[in-house]
Amino acid sequence: AEFYKDKTVAVIGGGNSAVLDALYLSRLVKKVYLVHRRDTFRATKLYHEPLFNAENIVAIVLPMPVGATTYKISLSFIILKQAFIISL
């Protein structure tokens, strides 16, 4: 948990696992980007309300990945184009 403290992270996906991970990480980090290839989340409806109420989760939907860069063993940044940012 200390590893993520005060960082900005990205979670890829829109199903139960991704949404639960984003919700968990939102309690530890400064900001969570939830990147999903569709315009709706497939996670169980039960998780939608907590997701939409989390102030530090930003959804990025319909992205087209262009590239990514790693530093040592972690992902440094990702490049997306034609994505839509939704403040939840």
Side-chain angles (χ1 to χ4, degrees):
E2 275 300 310
F3 176 79
Y4 295 106
K5 186 175 165 98
D6 296 325
K7 292 188 178 181
T8 298
V9 299
V11 176
I12 311 299
N16 288 342
S17 296
V19 170
L20 283 174
D21 287 347
L23 288 168
Y24 171 75
L25 287 168
S26 72
R27 293 179 283 172
L28 304 173
V29 302
K30 185 176 9 175
K31 182 173 281 199
V32 177
Y33 289 101
L34 183 58
V35 182
H36 186 43
R37 64 186 169 123
R38 299 181 183 177
D39 60 349
T40 57
F41 295 101
R42 298 189 68 157
T44 305
K45 301 287 183 202
L46 175 70
Y47 302 131
H48 287 202
E49 186 176 342
L51 178 66
F52 298 145
N53 289 332
E55 294 182 9
N56 63 338
I57 297 178
V58 175
I60 300 176
V61 296
L62 303 171
M64 180 180 292
V66 176
T69 299
T70 57
Y71 176 73
K72 295 186 180 177
I73 61 168
S74 65
L75 185 66
S76 297
F77 64 88
I78 55 177
I79 302 169
L80 305 169
K81 72 177 188 176
Q82 297 178 340
F84 298 93
I85 298 173
I86 303 171
S87 290
L88 302 174

